[in-house]
Amino acid sequence: MKVLMVLTFYHPHWTGLTAYARRLAEGLARRGHSVTVLTSRHRVDLAEEEMLEGVRVLRLPVATRLSRGVLMPAFPARLWQEMRRSDIVQLHSPILEAPLIALYGKLLGRAVVFTHHGDLVMPAGLFNRVVERTVTALMVRALSMSTRITVHSCDYAKHSTFLSPFSNKLDCIYPPADLPPPDLAAISRLKEERGLAGRNLVGFAGRWVEEKGFDILLQAIPHVLREVPSAQFLYAGARPDYEDFLSRCEPLLDPVRERVTMLGLLTDPQKLADFYGMCDLFAVPSRTDCFPSTQIEAILCGTPLVTADIPGAREVVQVTRMGLLAAPRDPAALARGIIEVIRNRASYVRPPAEVRAVFDAQKSVAQYEDLLRRLAVRRTAA
């Protein structure tokens, strides 16, 4: 198949969405398909066109940023050109141009698969409310015109007011997450270098934005320390340029700053695996989250979870029993879950083979391949 993927940001931009798209694009390319990614040239030092791991990446100039999105004047013409050459199109939301992509699919007779990475949730503020409602309206229009919609879990789809009107064309496919095994020798060295030997380590990761609920975790830390004085919290991630929630968290961070180790953004797969592998547990305190792939990465590295009991995010714990669910937006409940898993960690760890039987990157790629092939064949036959 000639597959066209369209998304706002691609490698080397780093989010769960871009990692997801890259793993899928490269997985399809390894299976012999011709994969083109149409995206933004979000940094001027990036090539306009290059081959990355068998994937043709086309980057278009950015005229300006709009909150979490970008405006690309050359996009309409180049999209039309690339869609004419393609057998099947996949868009990764949120993307401002989603309605145009779906409309071109109608005009050119190409099936469009809308891959939904989560309802858009913006922080407080009038401007952000306008952006959220505008982009959501655009996404709804695109969903109505798309051929099929994929989402990371049926649990999230059932509870999404955004997706519920389109339940007749939904497919649930787990994210294609994968990492190498943790390097135990490297973990031992890292613990010594950071002064972490003998500590109970609680990991958390992702963009420091309001929806991820890291302020809730900061409020939970004093509760944990009263019961587990040896606890240390490790953060892997960075402050995004479109939302400064970290500054709002400073009053909560100051009293526990010595117990929070900032590791920075980790993009190397082995360093990520070592981060997860060194943690006694991984915490997900999100207010809302479609399906954080960090959870899959953590359990693949043998690390159990304490996750907020919200649609989508709770899926991993429910299907693997590798961790606990905590009442959402409740620091005390989150702390109780962390304390329980620290004290009884062995009860929440499952064998790697059992985890991979549920979450396997190649299985996810194969499911996408089957879906795209069926739609492409249908279009060709027509």
Side-chain angles (χ1 to χ4, degrees), residues 52-111:
L52 293 175
E53 301 295 332
V55 177
R56 175 174 169 250
V57 181
L58 303 177
R59 300 189 182 94
L60 300 181
V62 173
T64 187
R65 292 289 298 265
L66 179 61
S67 186
R68 302 183 186 184
V70 300
L71 295 180
M72 299 174 283
F75 184 84
R78 193 58 185 268
L79 175 66
W80 181 268
Q81 181 183 16
E82 295 302 325
M83 285 186 70
R84 289 186 64 188
R85 298 172 176 172
S86 304
D87 297 323
I88 186 76
V89 181
Q90 181 188 32
L91 71 88
H92 292 267
S93 75
I95 179 171
L96 296 174
E97 297 85 357
L100 183 65
I101 300 167
L103 176 61
Y104 279 10
K106 292 286 187 182
L107 295 175
L108 291 170
R110 303 301 194 269

Side-chain angles (χ1 to χ4, degrees), residues 284-307:
V284 181
S286 302
R287 288 177 167 84
T288 177
D289 220 321
C290 178
F291 194 111
S293 57
T294 52
Q295 291 190 103
I296 305 178
E297 294 169 349
I299 64 172
L300 287 173
C301 295
T303 303
L305 308 168
V306 176
T307 299

Side-chain angles (χ1 to χ4, degrees), residues 114 126 133 155 204 327 348:
F114 185 120
L126 179 60
R133 291 179 182 179
D155 176 51
F204 63 112
Y348 299 100

Side-chain angles (χ1 to χ4, degrees), residues 170-190:
L170 277 172
D171 293 282
C172 303
I173 302 176
Y174 287 145
D178 199 10
L179 284 177
D183 183 334
L184 299 183
I187 289 173
S188 179
R189 289 194 301 271
L190 183 57

Side-chain angles (χ1 to χ4, degrees), residues 102-350:
L103 176 61
Y104 279 10
K106 292 286 187 182
L107 295 175
L108 291 170
R110 303 301 194 269
V112 173
V113 175
F114 185 120
T115 297
H116 183 60
H117 291 270
D119 299 1
L120 181 63
V121 179
M122 299 288 288
L126 179 60
F127 174 75
N128 287 327
R129 291 283 76 77
V130 171
V131 170
E132 181 178 308
R133 291 179 182 179
T134 301
V135 174
T136 297
L138 292 173
M139 296 302 105
V140 169
R141 182 60 180 156
L143 285 167
S144 67
M145 293 189 289
S146 297
T147 312
R148 297 294 297 178
I149 302 162
T150 61
V151 66
H152 306 350
S153 78
C154 291
D155 176 51
Y156 186 85
K158 290 175 184 176
H159 294 86
S160 169
T161 55
F162 182 70
L163 292 175
S164 57
F166 307 101
S167 58
N168 62 318
K169 53 181 179 180
L170 277 172
D171 293 282
C172 303
I173 302 176
Y174 287 145
D178 199 10
L179 284 177
D183 183 334
L184 299 183
I187 289 173
S188 179
R189 289 194 301 271
L190 183 57
K191 284 184 176 181
E192 290 296 333
E193 291 169 3
R194 294 275 186 169
L196 300 173
R199 298 274 193 169
N200 292 111
L201 303 180
V202 180
F204 63 112
R207 296 168 293 125
W208 199 296
V209 293
E210 188 171 356
E211 64 190 278
K212 294 296 182 181
F214 295 149
D215 57 322
I216 300 169
L217 179 59
L218 293 177
Q219 293 175 71
I221 290 177
H223 297 280
V224 175
L225 293 177
R226 281 195 289 271
E227 299 292 328
V228 187
S230 60
Q232 186 75 15
F233 294 76
L234 310 183
Y235 170 65
R239 180 192 312 219
D241 56 10
Y242 54 81
E243 182 180 339
D244 192 14
F245 186 59
L246 180 55
S247 293
R248 291 165 52 192
C249 291
E250 290 292 342
L252 297 173
L253 181 58
D254 283 341
V256 296
R257 194 176 295 274
E258 291 186 356
R259 293 308 187 97
V260 179
T261 301
M262 301 290 194
L263 300 176
L265 182 64
L266 303 177
T267 60
D268 178 78
Q270 187 60 62
K271 290 182 178 179
L272 267 174
D274 295 346
F275 160 68
Y276 292 119
M278 73 188 296
C279 293
D280 292 288
L281 65 95
F282 186 77
V284 181
S286 302
R287 288 177 167 84
T288 177
D289 220 321
C290 178
F291 194 111
S293 57
T294 52
Q295 291 190 103
I296 305 178
E297 294 169 349
I299 64 172
L300 287 173
C301 295
T303 303
L305 308 168
V306 176
T307 299
D309 190 0
I310 57 174
R314 61 192 175 200
E315 177 89 1
V316 175
V317 172
Q318 288 179 331
V319 299
T320 65
R321 297 175 292 111
M322 195 162 169
L324 284 177
L325 297 176
R329 308 187 184 207
D330 186 337
L334 181 65
R336 287 194 295 271
I338 291 171
I339 294 165
E340 163 61 21
V341 173
I342 287 175
R343 288 176 171 171
N344 299 288
R345 186 177 188 275
S347 302
Y348 299 100
V349 177
R350 302 287 175 261

